Amino acid sequence: MKNSLYDYIIVGGGIVGLSSAIEVLRRFPKAKLLLIEKEDTLAQHQTGHNSGVIHSGIYYKPGSFKAKFARQGSRSMLDFCQTHDIEHDICGKVIVATKPEQVPQLKDLYQRGLQNELNVSLISKQELMEIEPHVMGLEAISVPGAGIVNYKQVCQQFGKLVIAAGGEVRLGTKVTAVRNRHDRVEVETPGGAFSARFLINCAGLHSDRIAQQEGSNVGLKIVPFRGEYYEIVPEKRHLVKHLIYPVPNPSFPFLGVHYTRMIGGHVEAGPNAVLAFKREGYRKTDINLRDLAEVAMFPGFWKLAGKYWREGAQEMVRSVSKAAFVRSLQELIPEITAEDLVPAPAGVRAQALKSDGSLVDDFHVVPGTRCLHVCNAPSPAATASIEIGKYIASCVSTA
Ligand SMILES: Cc1cc2nc3c(=O)[nH]c(=O)nc-3n(C[C@H](O)[C@H](O)[C@H](O)COP(=O)(O)OP(=O)(O)OC[C@H]3O[C@@H](n4cnc5c(N)ncnc54)[C@H](O)[C@@H]3O)c2cc1C
């Protein structure tokens, strides 16, 4: 097969790769762009295994990419869904303090919401009961702008737009090697080699490996954290009217197990956050020795484990014990029982870890020569994808 020369190659057909493709083609309409995805369909990994929430941006540090892109991105996502007739529901959410010691944290979070210029309000126990009659809380934040969508459906539409704009999408094509030549970047796949003047790495759980193959030292390792879910049986769905979240642990990047109404009408509870022994390890029994050894040999991992061993142990317990999972959920809805919950498919988050043991909190894009590596795009990157795509398009050099 001949080695065709493209202006841009994007690795990864998740929501970030697709939105980047759209925005690059919008900025450079004459560019020749190829998006390469190893799976046979788009959005098979993080994007297709998430909670489907359109986050408003309350949690994120003011001024961060996450705060800015979630706020703008939730509006862009809403516009996109309206324009392309994609089912969505701005159902609103509550963040609930269930213990007295959580009330100051709840108030801090409320202040953060105001700093991020969001429409949020503090509500009393009585007001909470009116919105969510089955939730037991002391005080809560109401976030009426939060909503839900199926991000797989969004990606199907993104894919159509990439092709309509002249882009090429190759599914079932795994990038196995990347070489940065003096005037182009070459990617190797089982179906042949492809070259481009510029490479955009949106490989999610494998983004650090693509960067390494290209020769960039991004100084971090992707650590996979599985998020396990239960689904509420149909007869008990009425217990959840909107989206119900706990007050998150401020030093932990995950939001705590919550209740989410999903597009399609079902209700999910979760996710927890346990170390996955395989980058795409959706089952507890999935192990990949290379993935595991890489994590174990990365010095940052042991520093992280030393710092968060207590939280990590709690998450492990919740993973192996349904009773422990249910106890966490009962903090929000006391009447939920183990019989009301059936296991649902898990997701795996790609979380970048630095060698000093700190988790990369914000979205993190590392520029190289003729390439850009999206090295950390965790939640709310699905919500923020359109704005991330615009940012990436503004960073790439002209074709
Ligand atoms: C459990 C869970 C819940 C979440 N909940 C939410 C939420 O409610 N709201 C929200 O906004 N965000 C949420 N997120 C975060 C959000 O889903 C991710 O931030 C987002 O999907 C990241 O998109 P991505 O395109 O970077 O990665 P991915 O969707 O993982 O896409 C990367 C793609 O690259 C491909 N790829 C990798 N290596 C190669 C290779 N060598 N060759 C070719 N292709 C390759 C993969 O197959 C994959 O399709 C959640 C995530 C998880 C896991």
Side-chain angles (χ1 to χ4, degrees), residues 12 14-16 37-38 45-47 50-51 53 175 203 229 377-378 381 383:
I15 202 160
V16 174
E37 165 56 49
K38 67 180 165 64
H45 290 292
Q46 295 178 86
T47 306
N50 63 26
S51 300
V53 175
V175 172
Y229 291 91
T383 302

Side-chain angles (χ1 to χ4, degrees), residues 37-327:
E37 165 56 49
K38 67 180 165 64
E39 305 296 344
D40 291 335
T41 51
L42 298 171
Q44 280 290 299
H45 290 292
Q46 295 178 86
T47 306
H49 286 91
N50 63 26
S51 300
V53 175
I54 305 177
H55 286 292
S56 51
I58 185 167
Y59 300 106
Y60 316 115
K61 204 168 152 198
S64 64
F65 282 128
K66 275 188 176 177
K68 197 169 125 200
F69 291 168
R71 190 181 57 235
Q72 291 166 0
S74 57
R75 290 186 206 134
S76 323
M77 187 54 68
L78 181 58
D79 284 352
F80 184 84
C81 293
Q82 284 166 347
T83 306
H84 295 280
D85 210 14
I86 294 169
E87 193 182 352
H88 62 283
D89 182 4
I90 301 303
C91 53
K93 104 178 190 184
V94 287
I95 305 170
V96 184
T98 55
K99 298 179 183 135
E101 62 269 26
Q102 291 174 345
V103 172
Q105 281 165 266
L106 186 85
K107 299 219 158 127
D108 287 350
L109 201 54
Y110 169 66
Q111 288 305 327
R112 186 164 267 201
L114 295 181
Q115 284 167 14
N116 286 336
E117 297 171 23
L118 300 174
N119 172 20
V120 289
S121 50
L122 269 178
I123 57 172
S124 65
K125 191 174 177 162
Q126 285 67 32
E127 289 166 307
L128 173 64
M129 291 278 286
E130 282 161 29
I131 303 175
E132 288 288 356
H134 301 278
V135 173
M136 196 58 86
L138 301 172
E139 234 175 296
I141 300 171
S142 164
V143 189
I148 52 171
V149 68
N150 180 331
Y151 285 112
K152 269 192 173 175
Q153 288 172 5
V154 171
C155 284
Q156 291 311 320
Q157 190 60 36
F158 278 0
K160 286 183 192 160
L161 292 180
V162 172
I163 291 166
E168 202 180 313
V169 176
R170 274 184 186 257
L171 299 173
T173 306
K174 181 175 176 176
V175 172
T176 50
V178 183
R179 279 179 291 273
N180 200 333
R181 307 287 191 203
H182 70 283
D183 60 344
R184 69 205 147 87
V185 185
E186 196 174 276
V187 302
E188 195 79 52
T189 77
F194 302 93
S195 296
R197 296 181 215 281
F198 202 94
L199 177 88
I200 306 173
N201 164 12
C202 302
L205 284 152
H206 300 277
S207 54
D208 56 342
R209 287 184 179 157
I210 297 288
Q212 198 180 17
Q213 288 173 12
E214 181 277 319
S216 288
N217 178 9
V218 292
L220 37 83
K221 173 77 49 205
I222 294 293
V223 179
F225 284 98
R226 190 173 51 253
E228 294 154 333
Y229 291 91
Y230 285 93
E231 185 180 332
I232 300 188
V233 294
E235 312 79 73
K236 293 296 176 79
R237 285 178 186 164
H238 68 275
L239 296 178
V240 178
K241 309 287 180 208
H242 311 86
L243 309 174
I244 307 166
Y245 282 66
V247 176
N249 175 346
S251 58
F252 215 49
F254 310 118
L255 300 179
V257 292
H258 45 267
Y259 295 92
T260 316
R261 294 206 75 92
M262 307 292 282
I263 293 293
H266 60 292
V267 179
E268 288 195 349
N272 59 357
V274 283
L275 178 70
F277 298 150
K278 185 178 175 191
R279 291 205 180 194
E280 289 159 7
Y282 295 100
R283 292 168 307 182
K284 292 186 199 0
T285 49
D286 285 342
I287 297 181
N288 177 298
L289 291 180
R290 177 189 170 194
D291 292 353
L292 197 54
E294 269 189 25
V295 169
M297 278 155 46
F298 188 65
F301 173 71
W302 295 105
K303 292 176 190 155
L304 176 81
K307 195 165 153 201
Y308 289 117
W309 67 268
R310 200 171 273 113
E311 287 87 349
Q314 278 167 2
E315 294 287 347
M316 294 286 274
V317 171
R318 268 203 303 219
S319 173
V320 293
S321 157
K322 184 176 181 183
F325 206 109
V326 173
R327 276 197 298 278

